[in-house]
Short mmCIF file of all heavy atoms in Angstrom, two decimals:
data_model
loop_
_atom_site.label_atom_id
_atom_site.label_comp_id
_atom_site.label_asym_id
_atom_site.label_seq_id
_atom_site.Cartn_x
_atom_site.Cartn_y
_atom_site.Cartn_z
N ASP P 1485 31.40 129.20 126.87
CA ASP P 1485 30.04 128.93 126.61
C ASP P 1485 29.81 127.45 126.78
O ASP P 1485 28.69 126.87 126.31
CB ASP P 1485 29.57 129.50 125.26
CG ASP P 1485 30.23 128.83 124.17
OD1 ASP P 1485 31.19 127.99 124.38
OD2 ASP P 1485 29.93 129.00 123.09
N GLN P 1486 30.66 126.60 127.23
CA GLN P 1486 30.49 125.11 127.41
C GLN P 1486 29.26 124.81 128.25
O GLN P 1486 28.52 123.80 128.01
CB GLN P 1486 31.74 124.42 127.92
CG GLN P 1486 32.80 124.52 126.93
CD GLN P 1486 32.48 123.83 125.61
OE1 GLN P 1486 31.99 122.63 125.48
NE2 GLN P 1486 32.55 124.51 124.55
N PHE P 1487 28.87 125.61 129.14
CA PHE P 1487 27.75 125.29 130.02
C PHE P 1487 26.46 125.53 129.29
O PHE P 1487 25.35 125.04 129.71
CB PHE P 1487 27.73 126.23 131.34
CG PHE P 1487 27.37 127.70 131.08
CD1 PHE P 1487 26.05 128.11 131.37
CD2 PHE P 1487 28.43 128.55 130.72
CE1 PHE P 1487 25.90 129.46 131.17
CE2 PHE P 1487 28.08 129.89 130.45
CZ PHE P 1487 26.72 130.29 130.66
N LEU P 1488 26.54 126.27 128.05
CA LEU P 1488 25.32 126.33 127.27
C LEU P 1488 25.20 125.36 126.18
O LEU P 1488 24.23 125.41 125.37
CB LEU P 1488 25.38 127.72 126.60
CG LEU P 1488 25.37 128.91 127.56
CD1 LEU P 1488 25.62 130.30 126.84
CD2 LEU P 1488 24.02 129.00 128.27
N LYS P 1489 26.13 124.28 126.11
CA LYS P 1489 26.09 123.35 125.15
C LYS P 1489 24.75 122.60 125.04
O LYS P 1489 24.27 122.25 126.18
CB LYS P 1489 27.21 122.38 125.29
CG LYS P 1489 27.50 121.40 124.15
CD LYS P 1489 28.75 120.61 124.33
CE LYS P 1489 28.94 119.67 123.20
NZ LYS P 1489 30.04 118.86 123.40
N ASP P 1490 24.28 122.49 123.84
CA ASP P 1490 23.06 121.72 123.67
C ASP P 1490 21.86 122.39 124.33
O ASP P 1490 20.78 121.70 124.53
CB ASP P 1490 23.14 120.23 124.17
CG ASP P 1490 24.24 119.43 123.46
OD1 ASP P 1490 24.41 119.79 122.18
OD2 ASP P 1490 24.91 118.65 124.05
N THR P 1491 21.83 123.66 124.61
CA THR P 1491 20.77 124.33 125.16
C THR P 1491 19.89 125.04 124.18
O THR P 1491 18.89 125.62 124.40
CB THR P 1491 21.13 125.32 126.29
OG1 THR P 1491 21.94 126.38 125.81
CG2 THR P 1491 21.76 124.51 127.46
N GLY P 1492 20.63 125.50 122.99
CA GLY P 1492 20.05 126.30 121.98
C GLY P 1492 20.29 127.82 122.36
O GLY P 1492 19.63 128.65 121.74
N VAL P 1493 20.97 128.05 123.37
CA VAL P 1493 21.25 129.50 123.88
C VAL P 1493 22.73 129.80 123.46
O VAL P 1493 23.64 128.97 123.83
CB VAL P 1493 21.03 129.57 125.37
CG1 VAL P 1493 21.47 130.96 125.79
CG2 VAL P 1493 19.55 129.32 125.77
N THR P 1494 22.99 130.92 122.91
CA THR P 1494 24.27 131.48 122.55
C THR P 1494 24.79 132.34 123.65
O THR P 1494 24.07 132.75 124.44
CB THR P 1494 24.27 132.13 121.16
OG1 THR P 1494 23.59 133.24 121.37
CG2 THR P 1494 23.75 131.29 120.07
N THR P 1495 26.05 132.63 123.45
CA THR P 1495 26.76 133.70 124.50
C THR P 1495 25.94 135.03 124.26
O THR P 1495 25.59 135.71 125.23
CB THR P 1495 28.24 133.85 124.03
OG1 THR P 1495 28.83 132.55 124.20
CG2 THR P 1495 28.80 134.77 124.91
N LEU P 1496 25.68 135.35 123.00
CA LEU P 1496 24.97 136.62 122.82
C LEU P 1496 23.55 136.56 123.49
O LEU P 1496 23.15 137.61 124.00
CB LEU P 1496 24.84 136.85 121.25
CG LEU P 1496 24.10 138.04 120.92
CD1 LEU P 1496 24.92 139.55 121.33
CD2 LEU P 1496 23.92 138.20 119.41
N ASP P 1497 22.88 135.49 123.31
CA ASP P 1497 21.57 135.37 123.92
C ASP P 1497 21.62 135.51 125.40
O ASP P 1497 20.88 136.18 126.06
CB ASP P 1497 21.02 133.95 123.68
CG ASP P 1497 20.59 133.72 122.12
OD1 ASP P 1497 20.44 134.69 121.42
OD2 ASP P 1497 20.61 132.51 121.79
#
Side-chain angles (χ1 to χ4, degrees):
D1485 66 352
Q1486 289 303 302
F1487 73 99
L1488 296 172
K1489 189 176 181 181
D1490 300 325
T1491 63
V1493 177
T1494 66
T1495 302
L1496 180 65
D1497 296 335

